[in-house]
Amino acid sequence: MNLDLVLLRFINSFAHRSSSFDASVSFLADLPLLKGALLTSILWLVWFQPYRNQETRRELVISTLAATITSLVLAKVIRSLLPFRLRPIHDAATRFTLPYYVSSETLWNWSSFPSDTAAMVFALAVGLLIIYGRWGWLAILYSLVVVGIPRIYLGYHYPSDVAAGAVLGGLFAYIMSRDEIRTPLSRPLLSLSQCYPGAFYCAFFVLTYEIATVFENTRQIIAVVSKLFR
């Protein structure tokens, strides 16, 4: 916890100094295009790039998407089971300095640990690391700089929240990329892509779009439906 606060306060020490910088960080953290769309678009590139081992790479794309969804759901389940943790912007004990344009009412009812966004993004990044090897480290670095650190800077998460989400996402990406899981998981979907390409790619597009937006539309639909049946 002491290390958590030290890192948080170090990152927070740069806040509320420049309104334009704070606005840029806020824009960076909340823009779906940068948060998930760029990484999912690279998965589309992997899918269509001609390689001798194209089928294996397509299997890895499917396992990465499956790991992303699994880690995102599990992060939310863990969050609901663990004791509620206030976010830095809501916890007076952290002496957090609000950046410009950030409201203390943001994400008020949502527990901080672990970060589901970090789980999602690092599952994608580790999947790309497995596919591309050393070039995949750029995806890890991107996830840290563009997604992880800005969420700490804005007070949405403690460093440990982001680290836990990253470990969760990365672990599932690794586990689901193993041959004994990846192949039986992806084989039916690969067959579907060949037999019904139109339906497959429509569903594939919708799925990657929802992942890129952290299932924002799906969550809104679920919230509306749950209200109707109360």
Side-chain angles (χ1 to χ4, degrees):
M1 178 59 71
N2 289 334
L3 178 60
D4 219 15
L5 287 175
V6 167
L7 290 174
L8 174 68
R9 288 170 181 168
F10 171 73
I11 295 173
N12 184 234
S13 66
F14 300 95
H16 209 83
R17 294 186 180 185
S18 166
S19 60
S20 58
F21 181 77
D22 286 357
S24 299
V25 175
S26 181
F27 177 78
L28 199 68
D30 296 328
L31 189 67
L33 176 64
L34 297 179
K35 190 160 53 177
L38 183 61
L39 295 179
T40 54
S41 67
I42 297 176
L43 290 179
W44 278 86
L45 177 65
V46 173
W47 185 276
F48 286 107
Q49 274 185 323
Y51 279 90
R52 287 178 296 178
N53 60 342
Q54 187 180 56
E55 184 172 346
T56 300
R57 291 166 70 89
R58 287 186 172 184
E59 287 182 358
L60 286 169
V61 169
I62 292 172
S63 69
T64 298
L65 292 174
T68 301
I69 296 170
T70 303
S71 58
L72 184 61
V73 171
L74 188 57
K76 291 184 179 295
V77 171
I78 292 172
R79 182 185 293 173
S80 67
L81 295 177
L82 291 179
F84 189 90
R85 187 185 196 188
L86 286 173
R87 295 174 185 265
I89 51 176
H90 306 140
D91 191 351
T94 63
R95 302 195 299 275
F96 187 82
T97 301
L98 276 177
Y100 287 105
Y101 311 114
V102 175
S103 170
S104 59
E105 300 299 317
T106 303
L107 302 172
W108 174 255
N109 294 320
W110 293 21
S111 181
S112 177
F113 184 91
S115 169
D116 54 355
T117 303
M120 178 202 77
V121 171
F122 277 90
L124 292 170
V126 171
L128 290 172
L129 176 63
I130 294 169
I131 293 169
Y132 280 116
R134 61 181 181 179
W135 287 106
W137 284 106
L138 292 175
I140 301 292
L141 181 62
Y142 174 88
S143 299
L144 179 63
V145 173
V146 176
V147 179
I149 293 177
R151 300 187 77 75
I152 299 170
Y153 181 90
L154 297 171
Y156 296 170
H157 288 289
Y158 291 92
S160 60
D161 301 336
V162 173
V167 170
L168 182 66
L171 182 62
F172 269 94
Y174 173 77
I175 291 173
M176 300 188 82
S177 71
R178 300 298 87 196
D179 294 348
E180 57 272 20
I181 297 177
R182 183 192 75 234
T183 300
L185 173 69
S186 59
R187 190 173 295 153
L189 294 174
L190 289 175
S191 297
L192 184 64
S193 71
Q194 294 171 359
C195 296
Y196 306 100
F200 175 82
Y201 286 112
C202 283
F204 194 57
F205 170 78
V206 172
L207 177 63
T208 53
Y209 174 81
E210 283 295 287
I211 289 175
T213 59
V214 201
F215 289 92
E216 180 179 356
N217 296 307
T218 302
R219 287 186 280 112
Q220 290 174 347
I221 292 171
I222 292 173
V224 170
V225 171
S226 63
K227 288 180 181 179
L228 292 176
F229 288 95
R230 284 180 182 176

